Amino acid sequence: MRKHRYTLWLVLAIIVLAVYAVFNFKFFSGVSHGERRVTVILETLNVQLDFWQAVHKGAEAAAKEMGLNVSVEGPLSEEGADAQIQILEAAIERKPHAIVIAPIKDDRMPAVLAKAREAGIKLVVIHSSPNMQPSPVVVSSNHFEAGRLAGQTSIKETNGHPVLALISDNENSAVSEERLVGMQLALADYKDSLMGIYYADQSEDRAYLIAKQLITSGSPINTFITLNESASLGVARVLKEQNRADDIRLIAFDSTGDEVQLLEAGIIKASIVQKPFNMGYLGVKTALKLIEGDKTNPITYMESNVITKENMYTTENQKLLFPFINSK
Amino acid sequence: MLKDRFFPLFPLKSIQSHISLAFSLLILAAIVLTSLVSYQVSVAAVERNSKGYIEEIIKQVNLNIQSYVDNMENISLLALTNKDVKYYLSDNSFISEENRRTYEKRISDLFQAILYTRKDIASIMVYGYNGRFVSDRRITSLNPNTRLQDQAWYQMAKAAGGKSVISAPHVQNLIENEYRWVVSLSRELKSTDGITAEGVLLVDLNLSVINDICSNINLGQKGYLFIVDNEGNLVYHPQQQLIESKLRTERIKEVLQVSNGQSFVVNQGDGKRIYSVQDTNFGWRIAGVAYTDDLITSKDDLRNSIIFYSLFGLAISLLISIGLSHRLSKPIKVLQSDMKQVEKGNFDIQTKIGQMNEIGQLGRSFNLMVSRTKFLMEETIRNQENKRKSELLLLQAQINPHFLYNTLDSIVWMAEQKQHEEVVLMTAALAKLFRASITKDQELVPIRVELEHITNYLLIQKMRYNEELRYEIDIDESILGYKTLKILLQPFVENAIYHGIRNMYGIEDGRITIRGRASGDQIVFEVEDNGHGMTPEQQGRLLFSNEEDNRDQGIGIRNVDERIKLYFGYEYGIQIRSEIGEGTCITIVIPKLD
């Protein structure tokens, strides 16, 4: 009887202690993630490039929401693989909890990323998937899906008779390759729809010459798909000059200021636009999940929007095309 | 198994440790409860305060935005009432083409002057339904790809019919190569008659103004502010893109349902937060969101101080509980050690009684018990002593030398008289008498034996008194089997002979009657004589006098009475009834014993 009573007491004591523990745990769990440091390394920090600026903003939004300490870095000009590797190595030295990186394609990159991983830093790759084993966690636009959207749009715009030429940057670009594959899948049912794939690197002039050559040679092409800005501008110039904007459709990717104007003018029929803000946001959020040890998807894809002249001023698309309120 | 291993951890042997454990647990529970409650109370207080604080901030934001909107409104009124604008737009043709340029210049100058003073205004434009157009810029090339009729602000102004309308934030693409985020105030202009619509006035507010106001508001680290319009479309939200991509949800529905100035608390998803909602007077609702975690900035201090005070209180309470339990258990310990003394046989102990509480009463009972035990033990000792004494006296009675001497003297005398038969009879009776009483080990004998004994005794006495002693024995046959104390009757018969009838004028007139019968569960003997009788004093002396006084009377009456009482209890004993000159009757009562 006496033992029983004291067992009761002990149980009561344990309950009380449990309540106390929960109470304290609630205190501790309320502590923000301020001490969690995440470094975000972009392809470039160039303020002229809205795409990366939007990624930057997205990362900051995530940092604010989750109470993380995020620093965003990157080379000041695009194409700076050396500069980016340098920045990455410096970041590894500082040992943040996680690195979110949009790696510039370079042969040395996988080794440096492996180094970061060895240092116990969680790795999230955004925008593209690198060639490394085991594959890191990726947060990226679904380029394959974007390519498919472009293909579908071309079918729709030509009322089911697409005859198209594709102008890409170069053969090594993984992003362009994925887009191409997606597009080819969409066009699989249309025989001989793809007249040719051309590479113009980042040169507007080269794209211009390719397009001019194609048009003036009397080829039956009715659609151009351009995978980067310079190609879009080059083709648009030809179409304007040759006054063929009405019968030759131009389907572009992404949305720089010039492209927006061309879209508004109806020269670019449609543009497949990524969501860079979301990429930055989800990149950092995924990094936090990795740090906390939560389950994450190995690849997080973001869809792209097909933007035409008609829908470019909807609330959502406006934000995509003009991500910055202060832009003039 | 577990219990066995578990309990030795708590050597809960003594009441003191029990009490202190119980106290500690109780106090711990109380402290925990108090800390929980105080935490809840302080959190509630912080929440309440922060609600007010957020409300104030949102009010300020509201006022700020309101002032910008009011300003746009004023500008629109200014343009509206401007005569140049009126003439310029009126459908009549009293402005010639040459004059038109002058009007345009004057209106443009007016707009420009306004713009100079207001950096927040992006542009001011007027469109006439007559196709005329003026903006704040001298040279304006309109975006050829933009159709005025498709613009939301234009449609809204037409629909509102003269009232000003505020658009949602949008990119203004009216002017070529210019894409600005603005909030538009538009208003249809009426002719002087106030009925005919003549055009639409547009005032664009840089959205960056509102953006700056909203994004610079500090509602804690994670707190933010957003604006929705009447239909629940987001006007401003720091994460608008995420919400539109469905990566994030916002509680727009709740914000629309809440009445102006109210707030509500959401505790879902990423932490507890307070939504405070304010209406603007142009159809927007501003909602401030603050996370309670952010607001309780001194949370760590709060926690630390609560833990510190809890531990402090716990330590104090442990000390107090140990002290208190010691105080409570001390008298019990004292009592316990006194009891140990008693166990060892010390009955002289009396425990000290402190306060008259339960333990004091226990002590008192203990003392009573000890003294009672002591008394009883002493009494037992005394009784044993008395028994031994009476046994000794009995032994003396059996071999009363006086009696023996007299008897032997009588035998000698009879032998001299050659009364051989009598000598044999008397000697045989004497032998029987002794044999009967010598059975020492048995204190209780059947009444039959006692009867034989008294018969022999009376036989001897009768022969001594030359057959002149007359006696009668009347004992009920049915009681012969019951037990009685041996030599019970002899002293009374002896007494009757020596003090009752011997000194009478003639012994031959004396008569002794011995009766015995059962009465209920008792046996009553009576020894009666018709001798002198006794005065009450004599009777008293017989029963209560010291033994020394009646030594010569052999085994005293009193002694028999004592023996009866020792063996059978105090309800038994003897009674004397006597009258001078009449005789004496002694009644002996003993229990019926098989």
Side-chain angles (χ1 to χ4, degrees):
Chain A
M1 188 60 206
R2 249 165 60 160
K3 270 200 170 181
H4 270 257
R5 200 180 300 165
Y6 282 95
T7 319
L8 205 77
W9 272 112
L10 280 168
V11 167
L12 196 77
I14 288 162
I15 289 170
V16 163
L17 284 171
V19 167
Y20 207 56
V22 166
F23 172 59
N24 275 313
F25 181 71
K26 208 180 149 194
F27 270 132
F28 288 115
S29 67
V31 173
S32 65
H33 308 295
E35 65 275 12
R36 304 250 193 257
R37 286 177 296 115
V38 176
T39 301
V40 179
I41 301 173
L42 304 179
E43 275 185 24
T44 174
L45 276 186
N46 188 344
V47 286
Q48 300 296 318
L49 292 170
D50 285 356
F51 184 86
W52 293 111
Q53 290 299 302
V55 176
H56 189 158
K57 280 263 183 255
E60 279 177 347
K64 181 166 195 236
E65 186 187 318
M66 281 149 239
L68 292 166
N69 189 351
V70 169
S71 67
V72 182
E73 295 163 30
L76 286 177
S77 62
E78 218 170 351
E79 303 287 334
D82 289 344
Q84 201 193 32
I85 285 171
Q86 233 169 14
I87 290 166
L88 176 58
E89 277 177 334
I92 294 169
E93 288 294 306
R94 289 197 307 272
K95 284 213 168 214
H97 292 92
I99 290 179
V100 178
I101 185 167
I104 297 172
K105 203 173 163 72
D106 192 282
D107 292 340
R108 293 162 290 173
M109 192 59 79
V112 187
L113 290 178
K115 206 169 106 186
R117 194 183 265 165
E118 273 163 31
I121 300 167
K122 306 283 182 209
L123 207 58
V124 177
V125 170
I126 53 171
H127 192 48
S128 62
S129 25
N131 238 339
M132 71 182 284
Q133 289 298 327
S135 185
V137 175
V138 173
V139 175
S140 163
S141 296
N142 192 341
H143 300 303
F144 178 84
E145 183 64 22
R148 216 171 57 78
L149 280 175
Q152 278 176 348
T153 311
S154 73
I155 295 163
K156 210 173 89 188
E157 290 285 330
T158 58
N159 295 319
H161 301 288
V163 181
L164 52 86
L166 182 113
I167 302 179
S168 177
D169 42 1
N170 61 63
E171 282 176 85
N172 294 327
S173 166
V175 172
S176 300
E177 201 54 35
E178 279 174 39
R179 284 172 179 167
L180 177 63
V181 173
M183 191 193 73
Q184 279 168 332
L185 189 82
L187 294 170
D189 291 341
Y190 299 88
K191 271 196 171 176
D192 304 324
S193 53
L194 187 57
M195 294 293 288
I197 300 163
Y198 306 91
Y199 296 98
D201 283 324
Q202 304 289 332
S203 164
E204 185 185 328
D205 290 337
R206 206 181 294 172
Y208 171 82
L209 289 174
I210 292 165
K212 192 173 184 181
Q213 159 74 46
L214 281 171
I215 289 169
T216 50
S217 68
S219 109
I221 281 169
N222 61 9
T223 307
F224 278 99
I225 295 180
T226 52
L227 295 191
N228 63 350
E229 189 200 0
S230 56
S232 308
L233 297 183
V235 174
R237 212 164 85 205
V238 179
L239 295 183
K240 262 196 279 188
E241 275 176 19
Q242 303 287 325
N243 211 10
R244 299 288 298 273
D246 291 335
D247 64 321
I248 297 180
R249 288 89 182 161
L250 172 56
I251 296 167
F253 278 84
D254 297 342
S255 58
T256 60
D258 292 334
E259 283 179 305
V260 169
Q261 282 187 31
L262 289 169
L263 197 62
E264 201 175 37
I267 293 166
I268 293 179
K269 283 288 174 302
S271 186
I272 316 299
V273 177
Q274 301 181 57
K275 297 177 176 172
F277 183 92
N278 294 3
M279 188 157 77
Y281 175 82
L282 286 178
V284 172
K285 207 170 178 180
T286 307
L288 177 66
K289 276 190 187 170
L290 283 178
I291 294 168
E292 308 260 286
D294 293 346
K295 228 180 111 182
T296 49
N297 293 325
I299 298 177
T300 307
Y301 279 135
M302 279 156 306
E303 54 185 41
S304 300
N305 279 12
V306 178
I307 296 186
T308 63
K309 186 185 176 183
E310 284 70 40
N311 70 9
M312 66 185 286
Y313 285 105
T314 62
T315 329
E316 185 188 359
N317 291 343
Q318 256 188 132
K319 271 273 174 194
L320 282 176
L321 297 177
F322 309 97
F324 303 106
I325 283 164
N326 292 323
S327 65
K328 302 262 168 176
Chain B
M1 188 68 197
L2 186 81
K3 253 187 173 178
D4 290 348
R5 287 174 54 174
F6 194 56
F7 271 90
L9 284 176
F10 297 89
L12 297 174
K13 285 264 166 77
S14 65
I15 288 182
Q16 184 183 344
S17 53
H18 276 153
I19 292 173
S20 40
L21 180 73
F23 277 171
S24 308
L25 289 175
L26 268 178
I27 291 163
L28 181 68
I31 286 173
V32 167
L33 209 70
T34 321
S35 346
L36 271 170
V37 167
S38 64
Y39 176 72
Q40 296 298 338
V41 165
S42 36
V43 163
V46 170
E47 271 182 31
R48 211 165 36 246
N49 289 344
S50 49
K51 267 184 196 168
Y53 161 76
I54 297 164
E55 202 179 306
E56 276 312 303
I57 289 180
I58 305 299
K59 266 187 193 156
Q60 285 305 314
V61 172
N62 192 355
L63 282 178
N64 267 331
I65 294 175
Q66 188 68 54
S67 74
Y68 286 113
V69 173
D70 287 349
N71 183 48
M72 288 203 284
E73 187 83 35
N74 291 339
I75 291 168
S76 79
L77 284 174
L78 196 77
L80 197 74
T81 49
N82 186 282
K83 282 221 161 51
D84 292 336
V85 175
K86 279 208 163 147
Y87 287 138
Y88 182 68
L89 294 184
S90 63
D91 209 16
N92 59 44
S93 48
F94 62 69
I95 297 175
S96 60
E97 274 305 307
E98 312 85 81
N99 284 345
R100 200 186 130 181
R101 295 294 311 165
T102 344
Y103 271 102
E104 276 181 6
K105 190 178 176 300
R106 276 183 11 216
I107 294 169
S108 191
D109 283 351
L110 171 72
F111 288 172
Q112 247 173 42
I114 294 168
L115 269 185
Y116 273 127
T117 61
R118 302 295 311 195
K119 293 290 173 217
D120 52 305
I121 301 296
S123 55
I124 308 170
M125 299 177 201
V126 173
Y127 295 89
Y129 292 153
N130 55 11
R132 289 169 181 172
F133 161 75
V134 191
S135 83
D136 54 285
R137 284 153 234 236
R138 281 289 161 73
I139 307 142
T140 318
S141 47
L142 287 176
N143 186 339
N145 301 309
T146 306
R147 278 190 47 192
L148 203 58
Q149 287 72 24
D150 296 341
Q151 302 270 324
W153 55 267
Y154 187 85
Q155 291 164 353
M156 280 157 64
K158 278 187 100 169
K163 284 197 187 107
S164 63
V165 284
I166 303 284
S167 78
H170 64 107
V171 172
Q172 186 58 276
N173 60 343
L174 273 178
I175 295 164
E176 201 166 21
N177 293 329
E178 213 180 271
Y179 299 93
R180 276 206 237 200
W181 279 96
V182 294
V183 172
S184 301
L185 179 140
S186 51
R187 171 185 284 237
E188 192 167 50
L189 301 175
K190 304 278 183 184
S191 66
T192 30
D193 59 16
I195 297 161
T196 325
E198 291 187 318
V200 174
L201 174 81
L202 170 73
V203 182
D204 277 347
L205 176 73
N206 274 323
L207 185 62
S208 58
V209 171
I210 289 174
N211 199 47
D212 289 349
I213 293 171
C214 294
S215 59
N216 288 337
I217 289 303
N218 181 17
L219 290 174
Q221 207 189 358
K222 284 155 80 185
Y224 59 92
L225 185 149
F226 67 94
I227 304 174
V228 291
D229 68 13
N230 277 335
E231 276 92 51
N233 301 315
L234 279 176
V235 171
Y236 168 85
H237 194 288
Q239 297 186 336
Q240 202 160 349
Q241 293 170 18
L242 297 174
I243 291 162
E244 269 149 18
S245 312
K246 310 268 187 303
L247 287 177
R248 209 198 125 107
T249 52
E250 188 53 86
R251 296 179 183 263
I252 293 168
K253 226 182 242 172
E254 283 103 317
V255 168
L256 286 178
Q257 277 161 2
V258 165
S259 53
N260 183 28
Q262 292 298 301
S263 55
F264 60 94
V265 174
V266 173
N267 195 2
Q268 249 181 358
D270 50 349
K272 194 173 182 186
R273 50 205 192 270
I274 303 166
Y275 282 71
S276 181
V277 180
Q278 288 279 328
D279 273 347
T280 61
N281 56 13
F282 47 90
W284 291 356
R285 300 201 114 188
I286 305 173
V289 185
Y291 288 77
T292 48
D293 284 1
D294 279 354
L295 295 169
I296 310 166
T297 46
S298 58
K299 189 177 56 187
D300 281 0
D301 294 346
L302 194 68
R303 180 195 63 206
N304 289 341
S305 65
I306 285 178
I307 289 176
F308 172 75
Y309 284 116
S310 303
L311 288 176
F312 183 69
L314 199 66
I316 296 263
S317 65
L318 270 172
L319 282 177
I320 289 175
S321 66
I322 288 170
L324 211 59
S325 58
H326 179 72
R327 232 179 90 91
L328 277 179
S329 63
K330 200 188 164 191
I332 298 179
K333 276 188 178 163
V334 169
L335 194 60
Q336 191 192 15
S337 74
D338 286 348
M339 278 181 176
K340 279 239 169 77
Q341 290 283 315
V342 173
E343 258 177 53
K344 284 176 188 163
N346 181 1
F347 285 93
D348 292 329
I349 206 122
Q350 286 283 297
T351 191
K352 265 185 207 159
I353 294 168
Q355 285 170 309
M356 219 30 214
N357 52 17
E358 285 85 344
I359 292 164
Q361 281 168 9
L362 198 65
R364 204 184 59 168
S365 298
F366 170 75
N367 284 348
L368 273 174
M369 195 185 74
V370 169
S371 53
R372 181 108 187 99
T373 310
K374 190 181 167 189
F375 171 76
L376 284 173
M377 280 182 73
E378 278 168 359
E379 200 185 45
T380 310
I381 291 165
R382 207 165 45 236
N383 285 347
Q384 289 295 330
E385 226 169 76
N386 284 348
K387 251 186 206 171
R388 270 199 306 280
K389 260 185 206 162
S390 59
E391 272 164 21
L392 202 68
L393 285 172
L394 183 67
L395 209 62
Q396 278 178 0
Q398 284 161 3
I399 46 168
N400 189 341
H402 209 66
F403 171 71
L404 190 62
Y405 165 73
N406 284 339
T407 308
L408 290 175
D409 205 26
S410 299
I411 290 171
V412 169
W413 184 76
M414 277 190 274
E416 277 172 3
Q417 294 290 311
K418 308 255 193 279
Q419 295 172 327
H420 302 297
E421 235 171 272
E422 279 83 357
V423 169
V424 171
L425 200 65
M426 197 159 178
T427 314
L430 190 62
K432 274 183 191 163
L433 187 74
F434 278 104
R435 194 188 306 133
S437 59
I438 240 162
T439 51
K440 194 185 173 271
D441 36 329
Q442 278 176 317
E443 196 69 26
L444 291 175
V445 293
I447 291 176
R448 188 178 289 110
V449 175
E450 181 63 14
L451 177 64
E452 198 184 332
H453 176 82
I454 204 69
T455 309
N456 286 324
Y457 177 76
L458 278 169
L459 189 70
I460 292 167
Q461 290 292 23
K462 187 180 173 133
M463 286 170 81
R464 275 184 60 205
Y465 290 103
N466 300 320
E467 306 287 327
E468 282 165 4
L469 178 70
R470 285 189 297 150
Y471 64 90
E472 191 186 333
I473 297 175
D474 172 19
I475 294 204
D476 197 340
E477 290 246 329
S478 64
I479 67 168
L480 289 177
Y482 294 110
K483 296 266 171 64
T484 180
L485 282 169
K486 70 181 178 186
I487 318 178
L488 179 76
L489 298 173
Q490 186 196 321
F492 301 103
V493 174
E494 205 177 331
N495 189 61
I497 293 168
Y498 291 127
H499 300 286
I501 56 174
R502 194 182 62 177
N503 301 330
M504 279 174 71
Y505 27 90
I507 199 166
E508 63 274 5
D509 293 329
R511 185 182 185 84
I512 295 170
T513 314
I514 298 164
R515 280 185 289 269
R517 61 187 157 77
S519 165
D521 53 354
Q522 292 174 333
I523 289 172
V524 181
F525 294 105
E526 276 176 351
V527 179
E528 194 178 358
D529 67 75
N530 58 349
H532 286 305
M534 283 181 281
T535 61
E537 289 78 36
Q538 284 174 310
Q539 289 175 30
R541 210 183 305 139
L542 205 60
L543 275 177
F544 303 111
S545 65
N546 287 331
E547 291 163 37
E548 279 73 29
D549 290 351
N550 45 22
R551 256 216 184 280
D552 56 317
Q553 291 176 20
I555 179 165
I557 303 279
R558 193 182 109 87
N559 195 264
V560 175
D561 189 40
E562 248 174 42
R563 275 176 69 209
I564 291 170
K565 284 186 163 51
L566 278 175
Y567 275 99
F568 303 126
Y570 282 88
E571 62 265 46
Y572 304 103
I574 63 169
Q575 273 181 332
I576 301 171
R577 192 149 43 81
S578 183
E579 263 174 63
I580 296 293
E582 290 288 317
T584 303
C585 180
I586 293 173
T587 312
I588 305 140
V589 183
I590 60 165
K592 221 186 221 177
L593 282 177
D594 283 322

